[in-house]
Amino acid sequence: MHSVESRFIAIVIGALLVFVAPLFVLFLILSSDRVARERLLNTEVLLKANVQALGKPLWDLDQESIDQIVTDLQAEAGISFVAVRDTSGAIDVRKPARAPDPDEARSIVKADILYKASAGIKNVGTAEIWLGKEGLFSRFTKDEISIFVIFFFAVATLFTAAIIGNRITIIRPLMRLTGAIEATRRLGSRHHVDWTSNDEMGALAHNFNEMQSKLEREEKELKLAHARATDIYSLTPAMLFSIDGQNRITAVSDYWLTATGYRREQVIGQEFTDFVADEWRETYRNRHANGTDGGICEVTVRFRCADHSVIDVLILETETGASSGRQALSLSVMTDVTDLKEAENRNHHQAITDHLTGLLNRQGFESVLDRMIGDADRLGQPLACLFVDLDRFKWINDNLGHAAGDDVLCQVTMRLRRQLRTDDVIARLGGDEFAILLFSPNAHQLALDIGERFVASLRSPLVVGGAEFHVSASIGVAIYPDHASTAAALLQKSDMAMYARKRSGKNGIQLFDNNMVESARKRLETEQFIDQGLREDWFTAHLQPIVSLSAGRVAGFEALMRLNHPEYGLLPPAEIVGIAEENGSIGRIGDCILAKSIASLAVISKLDDLADTYLAVNFSPLQFEPTLPSRLAALLLETGITPSRIVVEITEAVLMLDSPVVQEVLDALSELGCRIALDDFGTGYSSLSYLNRFPVDIVKIDQSFTRSLSSDQPDVRRKSRMLVEGIRTISHQMGCAVVAEGIETTEQWDILQAMDIEFGQGYLLSRPLPLAALLEKLDDFAMPDAPGRRAAAS
């Protein structure tokens, strides 16, 4: 089946088998069925005719006549068996005597034998004729068989004519074309096909001859171009060379020989790696491992010249793939980059080194960390990473200047170096953050020991500009592979441990554990909730009534921030505030709560007896910006609320900043007409001094003192009452009103009322509520009698 002629014959035979043969078989089947039906009909007619003749012999029991008639019937063509029986069973004639197998009968014809007697028509017996099975062709006549033979002869003649025509018109010119191609392949010269005709084969031969002529012209041009390219290759003022698939040098330019000092016969046929410095040979062999850029491979190695000097060379190589009869070759350009390499090494060292301390910077540290992770895997030893952050460096930098801060960093670096071994890696990641890598079989204990020694070394003061300063360090430790499986994860886990140490009191060392990951995950989730809440307006202001303890009426409201997540509901506000203060979003949250709470106060002011109630709003230290008073004034002007109805609640953390900006903002708010409340009074370090230094109008007693008033321990109750009375006395003498927070029982209400505490708030009175729920709750505070009001509020 590999020649055109054999395929043509196969196609013709297939066509005969697929189309002609089924039609012929169908014709035979239909003709055979027709002949069978005709014979069956003739048999039935014959049987009916003889049945009439058998009537009288059966009636007369004429055995001889019956035998004669049966013999005549059985002699008919196609009849294989005849049986005649009378009804009495006296006569049973069969021809032949033994009936054949019923499966051999094509059909069986039966008929009743009737006789017209004087008493009427009588059924005197039955006759049965079997038609035997016949061959397919035995059913046809000679004329029909002659037609079949003529048909077969016509098909055979057509088949033979097709083959002869195919050989003359197609096979012969194809053989000549194949001969010309084979001669061209063997002899190398361009042979033409000797064939002319006006059909497609003639056009094919003509096109082939034209192609041969064109290829012959192009071959001459290619030879000339090759000669020119060879001259250009050798004379180009660049270090050009070519290698084969086995890295053997096949050609070099004259400039390459001049630059390297070799002679052509010394290098042709040699492996290029023979001229590469030993430690760089593997690098050159693996030059294709990292892929190619546009088919160009780039590698830098050290090359040995003929005078034994060594230079750095950049090799750009473009590869030509192997093809039939030709092996893979490449063209390479070699450039001397010795000077450039030295400059690059200097720049690289500067790029990975911290200019102040001389330590590795973050970039250099990360590259070393990747390498040491590989060493740890190869040697099966753990690697410890210490993340060091100075605790009071920002204060020094902000208050003493960057020069003093730089001096502190240099001194801390020296103390760090004294605790480390020669091979330990230390880097300054930025600001006051340092990282240390310890490679040891007992890296876990070694890291803890070094960390404790460094913390102890910082207990002695640092001398900066003739003055002594104390700094401490928070250190986080993570171990590879116990805590992390990658370099990035190891640095991240040590960073997590350092922040955990800062949150638990600073100045110490903390080993990473998996709970920190969950804490970090929750923190990240909360940060995302804060960001999404600001975008999609999830933040709302809940208001908690502040009630006059003597009259039982609402005097004001404290606005409390709430984040109402659409899926998780209200989230813990303390965690949100802490994270918002750290990531800087507290200002946007504060502005949102301030605007919503003032809008709520405007709605409440429309109710009877609540037009003069005030609004207390908590402010974070980070919200005290110079623009705060003007923003607040604009909100009040927009809603029609007077400034005297706004109370700015601050904590000791705000006042501890001792910032001129905070002082100016508080003074501006006071001049605007707003009142200042000192929240959580009595829980700080120097709250009494704040009452004297800042324009405080309201003092809020911390809820811990309120709860202690009804303690089960008599001594605690006695001391708590003394403290509350002392706060009340001092506050009243300084002209400040007093609000008790956290009232949860009627006993606490009665005690505070007896102490002449003016106002109170807490769950006994009302939980912080959104505006709609608060408006319904306010009806409970409208009753005239104090006991009734107290009961209703609870």
Side-chain angles (χ1 to χ4, degrees), residues 506-518:
K506 303 180 180 181
N507 191 26
I509 187 168
Q510 175 68 53
L511 184 65
F512 173 82
D513 66 64
N514 290 327
N515 292 331
M516 296 176 186
V517 177
E518 179 63 19

Side-chain angles (χ1 to χ4, degrees), residues 219-249:
E219 283 180 354
K220 293 179 180 179
E221 293 175 357
L222 285 175
K223 290 179 181 178
L224 179 60
H226 179 266
R228 292 174 179 173
T230 302
D231 293 339
I232 293 173
Y233 182 92
S234 297
L235 300 177
T236 297
M239 288 190 285
L240 303 178
F241 68 96
S242 299
I243 58 174
D244 59 15
Q246 287 72 43
N247 284 333
R248 292 191 298 264
I249 299 176

Side-chain angles (χ1 to χ4, degrees), residues 602-733:
V603 175
I604 295 173
S605 299
K606 298 177 182 179
L607 302 178
D608 295 339
D609 299 330
L610 296 175
D612 295 330
T613 53
Y614 71 87
L615 176 69
V617 184
N618 294 279
F619 282 83
S620 165
L622 300 179
Q623 290 181 262
F624 281 85
E625 300 175 347
T627 59
L628 177 60
S630 61
R631 295 202 310 271
L632 179 58
L635 286 173
L636 296 177
L637 183 62
E638 181 181 347
T639 56
I641 303 296
T642 59
S644 61
R645 298 179 61 194
I646 302 299
V647 174
V648 178
E649 287 197 6
I650 57 176
T651 62
E652 184 178 324
V654 176
L655 304 179
M656 284 181 64
L657 293 175
D658 197 19
S659 170
V661 175
V662 173
Q663 182 71 57
E664 292 174 4
V665 172
L666 289 175
D667 291 341
L669 291 172
S670 182
E671 292 175 2
L672 180 65
C674 300
R675 289 179 288 171
I676 309 299
L678 185 58
D679 198 9
D680 301 334
F681 187 81
T683 60
Y685 297 103
S686 53
S687 297
L688 293 177
S689 66
Y690 299 143
L691 293 177
N692 186 42
R693 294 168 51 198
F694 294 95
V696 177
D697 301 288
I698 299 174
V699 173
K700 302 190 73 173
I701 298 175
D702 186 70
Q703 58 183 341
S704 62
F705 295 111
T706 303
R707 285 195 297 267
S708 299
L709 292 175
S710 57
S711 173
D712 295 336
Q713 302 178 25
D715 189 53
V716 173
R717 288 201 308 271
R718 180 180 59 82
K719 291 180 179 179
S720 297
R721 294 186 183 190
M722 292 176 60
L723 287 171
V724 172
E725 289 177 348
I727 294 172
R728 177 211 62 196
T729 302
I730 294 173
S731 299
H732 285 173
Q733 289 179 353

Side-chain angles (χ1 to χ4, degrees), residues 120-196:
I121 297 175
K122 300 291 186 177
N123 184 356
V124 295
T126 59
E128 182 177 326
I129 297 176
W130 290 17
L131 296 176
K133 291 183 178 179
E134 300 173 336
L136 182 62
F137 290 97
S138 63
R139 300 178 183 178
F140 301 105
T141 63
K142 292 182 180 180
D143 293 338
E144 290 175 328
I145 293 175
S146 298
I147 292 174
F148 295 157
V149 171
I150 294 172
F151 173 77
F152 283 123
F153 179 76
V155 171
T157 303
L158 180 63
F159 179 75
T160 304
I163 293 176
I164 295 173
N166 178 69
R167 177 173 289 275
I168 294 173
T169 59
I170 297 177
I171 300 303
R172 185 184 298 173
L174 282 181
M175 293 298 293
R176 293 188 180 183
L177 177 62
T178 304
I181 294 173
E182 181 64 19
T184 300
R185 184 184 66 81
R186 288 187 294 103
L187 303 177
S189 58
R190 297 290 171 179
H191 285 256
H192 291 241
V193 179
D194 183 14
W195 181 268
T196 55

Side-chain angles (χ1 to χ4, degrees), residues 1-14 17 159:
M1 285 295 178
H2 296 294
S3 67
V4 175
E5 186 174 19
S6 60
R7 291 173 183 170
F8 176 77
I9 294 173
I11 292 172
V12 173
I13 294 175
L17 292 176
F159 179 75

